[in-house]
Amino acid sequence: MDRIIAHYLIETPYNLSEAAAVLAGEQSSGTFVAVPGETKELKERFAARVENIEELEKVDRPSIPGDTHKSEFKRAKVSVSWSVENFQDNIPTLISTLQGNLYELRQFTGLKLDDFELPSWYTEKFRGPAFGAKGTKNLAGVKQELPMIGTIIKPSIGMAPEETSKLVRELIEAGIDFIKDDELMASSANSPFKNRVELVMKEINSFQQKSGKKVMYAFNISGDLETLKRNYDTVLENKGTSAMLSINSLGWAGVKAIADKGELSIHGHRNGWGMMNRHPLLGINFPAYAKLWRLAGVDQLHVNGIRNKFWESDESVIRSIKSCSSKFLDHEDLLPVVSSGQWGGQAFDTYKFTNTTDLLYMAGGGIMAHPSGPSGGVKALKQAWEGAVNGSTLVETAKEHKEFRQSVEKFGGK
Amino acid sequence: MDRIIAHYLIETPYNLSEAAAVLAGEQSSGTFVAVPGETKELKERFAARVENIEELEKVDRPSIPGDTHKSEFKRAKVSVSWSVENFQDNIPTLISTLQGNLYELRQFTGLKLDDFELPSWYTEKFRGPAFGAKGTKNLAGVKQELPMIGTIIKPSIGMAPEETSKLVRELIEAGIDFIKDDELMASSANSPFKNRVELVMKEINSFQQKSGKKVMYAFNISGDLETLKRNYDTVLENKGTSAMLSINSLGWAGVKAIADKGELSIHGHRNGWGMMNRHPLLGINFPAYAKLWRLAGVDQLHVNGIRNKFWESDESVIRSIKSCSSKFLDHEDLLPVVSSGQWGGQAFDTYKFTNTTDLLYMAGGGIMAHPSGPSGGVKALKQAWEGAVNGSTLVETAKEHKEFRQSVEKFGGK
């Protein structure tokens, strides 16, 4: 019988094999005493199985509260498997199994889901991203040799639709490929959703008629399910191509229901992610997280950026970008959304460490606050990426191109 | 204009007022440089405002990664407010604001959302729990003077519907008020959902005809949205009274869509909760969490139990139980689901510290592994609660009642 395998990082004051057995027990038949009905046959068929334990370092302080009255805490990678019979194609129940009550176990002073693997027949049950990385770039008429260049409407919240659409026109004319609402902005008192979509899409559609290029705008359709459906339809009716969802607050079931429609490229915003990832030994790592959203049908997923303004290390960002194109079932690759403090200077290292242009490369201030205005900002980003892909250095590219040179002068200290 | 206020626990190496300003800025207009369009008027209307800072202790080690190259980290309670104009009645966007990118800020080495407050007019927009604590107890014919006594089908996964319904019959005859599926069990290979509901409800309905008492069974309807709806209807068609949802894996939008139907009492299972709560300075605390689910329409919410088998402290459990009945809009109280290692011995302290019987008091092994069988287990729990409410001690209650005495003998060391 096919099995699903999950890989965890753990920390425990106990013997590693005992601790792993507790984890497996909790996630298949846990109660504090043996109960009638728990037969050997049932256990063999449905119990979780510890597949592997790889010992790592020992530390003298526990990472999170638990059984902390010891002087030594062992870290390890642990792999656990379950029969697919336990969940079949029910992903919320799979999630409850992979990342459920096990976080409550006092036997662990650290526990993080790192990755998991599904049997290939899940491909028949889940389409995955309807567009994926390449399809999303195609939708926006972006060449595959370069990343899709994007920006965020700022200030995050407060502008009226007329102001937003004016800014959109400016950005379109500057040569942008992609624009998005901020996650704090769905429908505010002075920017009703429908009104904003109509005015923004008027600009985008009119530019398309002139130039043939259809800029992608990810409208933040987040809300309750009725709102999500209504907003999705509003975007479609106005010939939009993308919808943004705050995936953590909406949840897997809501996101899947919307992504299933399959007509808009789904921009997955991971705001709130830090609460389940920032601690090195609690929560979930990006490879596992990305697979769950790929199953739901998300096309574009935030990954932060190199030398970002947030806390995340470059190493972690690079791992996230790579995992967007790791083979998973027969699903399309995710398009990693690179953002936070980006201005083009990071293009060189981003390309060096990931070797891909399947990226949505986003800059906010890096475009809007460029000395030559948004048009200079977009040009600078494209110059940076062309340079990076062609093997030029930052210095060489700055010498060659005025707009990128201005970026280096303004943002280069960051 | 009405404002929404959120209360955070923070830790930072920076000056507290600067750090609080960063938090407020990120959650209303954050980008790394000032951008055009960010006018004074917009800021005044839409910007987050720091309402209060209460300094707490200082520590010499950072709690989570961030700007950690300092030698002193200050802790504080910080309150921040936003105009309701920012979200209106869009709760997912409110969630993205209260617990969004702010967890990524390197300026914080700890950040936890503790609680929040909404203006009273949200009552008109959100019904909240359709049944709540008292309504759920009424549905199951439980007297308000005692908690509702419940148990979980164990082993968690593996039993066929015939075995589950046989166990249900035994539990019903033992006098139980409530039974639930495990969160790991929705529809397994040998227990198709519909089949299980039909056989279980046959037992429950037949007992109701004989005795007038309708035992509540919370079927785990979790799945994608189509599955949720189909399973909900299956429970209704078979005259069930409760549906269990794994709220974290389903998400707010999916749970709200199901709870809106309003015909079944919604049992909110919080599996996965540890990943966002276990670290003392990362994630979300129960008072804020419970309010979000109350807005979605959850009726019953897990809170762990006194002297539980998990890591959580009694102090934290007590705070959770109390916050289920804290005033929130004009919503019904939540019914706290007390579980994990419970056998009746904890009834005395639970009542002493919370002074409420609006509880769903769950025991797994404490009922199933009772020396006189499940019937003895249920009797023991009721004896314990009657004793606790009448002011008797554990020792007095054990002297007076055989079944509870057997519990003390078997489980009392735990």
Side-chain angles (χ1 to χ4, degrees), chain B residues 13-301:
Chain B
Y14 296 92
N15 180 302
L16 284 175
S17 58
E18 281 170 37
V22 168
L23 192 167
E26 177 63 29
Q27 292 314 100
S28 49
S29 68
T31 182
F32 70 95
V33 285
V35 293
E38 201 170 346
T39 64
K40 194 163 165 266
E41 292 69 30
L42 279 192
K43 277 206 168 179
E44 267 170 22
R45 187 167 172 197
F46 294 99
R49 189 195 293 160
V50 178
E51 299 285 355
N52 194 46
I53 300 176
E54 183 190 335
E55 207 169 330
L56 302 171
E57 73 277 16
K58 292 180 178 113
V59 294
D60 59 4
R61 282 196 181 208
S63 292
I64 50 172
D67 278 351
T68 54
H69 50 285
K70 310 270 168 147
S71 58
E72 192 182 79
F73 302 86
K74 305 171 196 75
R75 292 182 180 165
K77 290 185 192 176
V78 171
S79 300
V80 177
S81 76
W82 294 264
S83 165
V84 293
E85 290 198 299
N86 293 34
F87 347 86
Q88 304 180 96
D89 61 355
N90 190 322
I91 301 298
T93 304
L94 173 65
I95 296 174
S96 293
T97 307
L98 297 181
Q99 41 174 164
N101 277 348
L102 72 180
Y103 294 108
E104 311 285 350
L105 296 169
R106 61 180 168 68
Q107 289 89 341
F108 295 92
T109 54
L111 196 147
K112 199 164 195 175
L113 174 64
D114 192 56
D115 201 354
F116 67 90
E117 293 154 45
L118 297 183
S120 61
W121 62 263
Y122 276 78
T123 303
E124 294 152 38
K125 299 282 185 176
F126 296 91
R127 176 183 62 194
F131 297 92
K134 293 197 165 34
T136 296
K137 287 171 80 177
N138 282 337
L139 260 186
V142 175
K143 290 184 292 185
Q144 299 298 346
E145 308 92 82
L146 280 184
M148 189 157 154
I149 302 295
T151 194
I152 309 144
I153 295 291
K154 295 276 174 187
S156 310
I157 183 152
M159 286 166 86
E162 293 73 19
E163 297 167 293
T164 303
S165 63
K166 188 165 162 266
L167 182 56
V168 166
R169 190 191 319 151
E170 193 180 349
L171 287 162
I172 292 174
E173 282 165 3
I176 201 97
D177 300 316
F178 176 96
I179 309 170
K180 70 180 270 293
D181 284 332
D182 193 89
E183 77 274 15
L184 302 175
M185 172 71 159
S187 191
S188 66
N190 70 340
S191 186
F193 185 80
K194 187 158 183 276
N195 194 201
R196 186 165 80 253
V197 173
E198 285 169 354
L199 291 190
V200 165
M201 286 312 300
K202 201 175 147 198
E203 296 297 338
I204 288 175
N205 292 330
S206 124
F207 185 77
Q208 185 191 14
Q209 288 198 322
K210 275 195 308 200
S211 71
K213 179 174 173 70
K214 179 124 196 178
V215 172
M216 181 177 280
Y217 191 107
F219 292 98
N220 182 9
I221 69 168
S222 301
D224 59 17
L225 199 67
E226 276 173 50
T227 305
L228 282 164
K229 287 180 176 170
R230 190 176 60 242
N231 287 352
Y232 188 100
D233 290 342
T234 299
V235 174
L236 261 187
E237 281 156 21
N238 287 278
K239 303 199 175 72
T241 53
S242 183
M244 167 173 150
L245 301 177
S246 285
I247 55 179
N248 295 320
S249 58
L250 297 172
W252 197 90
V255 170
K256 170 77 157 49
I258 296 302
D260 275 349
K261 294 172 171 275
E263 300 193 82
L264 300 173
S265 174
I266 300 295
H267 183 95
H269 199 293
R270 68 174 186 176
N271 61 82
W273 159 247
M275 70 191 289
M276 47 188 136
N277 171 260
R278 185 156 168 185
H279 191 286
L281 273 162
L282 180 63
I284 181 171
N285 275 333
F286 191 85
Y289 181 79
K291 283 181 179 175
L292 292 173
W293 294 111
R294 224 156 146 176
L295 282 166
V298 165
D299 296 288
Q300 316 165 30
L301 186 57

Side-chain angles (χ1 to χ4, degrees), chain A residues 39-322:
Chain A
T39 64
K40 194 163 164 266
E41 292 69 29
L42 280 192
K43 277 205 167 178
E44 269 171 19
R45 187 168 173 196
F46 293 99
R49 189 196 293 159
V50 178
E51 298 286 354
N52 194 46
I53 301 176
E54 183 191 336
E55 207 168 332
L56 302 172
E57 73 277 17
K58 293 182 177 109
V59 292
D60 60 3
R61 280 193 182 213
S63 292
I64 49 171
D67 278 350
T68 54
H69 51 285
K70 311 270 167 143
S71 58
E72 192 182 79
F73 301 87
K74 304 171 196 76
R75 291 182 180 165
K77 291 186 191 175
V78 171
S79 301
V80 177
S81 75
W82 293 265
S83 166
V84 293
E85 290 199 298
N86 293 34
F87 349 86
Q88 305 181 93
D89 61 356
N90 190 322
I91 302 298
T93 304
L94 173 65
I95 297 174
S96 293
T97 307
L98 297 181
Q99 42 174 164
N101 276 348
L102 73 179
Y103 294 107
E104 312 285 349
L105 296 169
R106 60 179 170 68
Q107 290 88 343
F108 295 90
T109 55
L111 196 147
K112 198 164 196 176
L113 174 63
D114 192 58
D115 201 354
F116 67 89
E117 294 154 43
L118 297 183
S120 60
W121 62 264
Y122 275 79
T123 304
E124 295 153 39
K125 299 284 186 176
F126 297 92
R127 177 184 60 193
F131 298 92
K134 295 200 165 31
T136 297
K137 286 171 80 176
N138 283 337
L139 260 186
V142 175
K143 290 185 292 187
Q144 299 298 346
E145 309 91 84
L146 281 183
M148 187 158 156
I149 303 294
T151 194
I152 308 144
I153 295 291
K154 297 276 175 187
S156 310
I157 182 152
M159 288 165 85
E162 293 73 18
E163 298 167 291
T164 302
S165 63
K166 188 164 161 267
L167 182 56
V168 165
R169 191 189 319 149
E170 192 180 352
L171 287 162
I172 291 175
E173 282 164 2
I176 202 97
D177 301 316
F178 175 96
I179 310 171
K180 69 181 271 293
D181 285 332
D182 193 90
E183 77 273 13
L184 302 176
M185 173 71 158
S187 191
S188 67
N190 70 339
S191 187
F193 185 80
K194 189 160 182 276
N195 195 202
R196 187 165 79 252
V197 173
E198 285 169 354
L199 291 189
V200 165
M201 286 313 301
K202 203 176 146 197
E203 296 297 339
I204 288 175
N205 292 330
S206 126
F207 184 77
Q208 185 192 13
Q209 287 198 322
K210 277 196 305 203
S211 71
K213 180 175 170 71
K214 179 127 197 174
V215 172
M216 183 176 281
Y217 191 108
F219 293 99
N220 183 8
I221 69 167
S222 301
D224 60 18
L225 199 68
E226 276 173 48
T227 305
L228 282 164
K229 287 180 178 171
R230 190 176 61 242
N231 288 351
Y232 188 99
D233 290 342
T234 299
V235 175
L236 260 188
E237 281 156 20
N238 287 278
K239 303 200 176 69
T241 53
S242 183
M244 166 172 150
L245 302 176
S246 286
I247 55 178
N248 295 320
S249 58
L250 296 173
W252 196 91
V255 170
K256 169 77 159 49
I258 296 302
D260 275 349
K261 293 171 172 277
E263 300 193 81
L264 300 173
S265 173
I266 300 295
H267 183 95
H269 199 294
R270 67 174 187 178
N271 62 82
W273 161 247
M275 71 191 288
M276 49 187 133
N277 173 260
R278 186 157 167 184
H279 191 286
L281 274 163
L282 180 64
I284 180 170
N285 275 335
F286 191 85
Y289 180 79
K291 284 181 179 176
L292 292 173
W293 294 111
R294 223 157 147 176
L295 282 167
V298 164
D299 296 288
Q300 316 165 30
L301 187 57
H302 280 243
V303 295
N304 219 329
I306 299 273
R307 293 190 290 282
N308 59 77
K309 65 171 182 170
F310 293 138
W311 73 277
E312 192 177 351
S313 72
D314 290 350
E315 192 188 359
S316 169
V317 172
I318 291 162
R319 187 180 185 213
S320 297
I321 292 175
K322 287 183 174 172

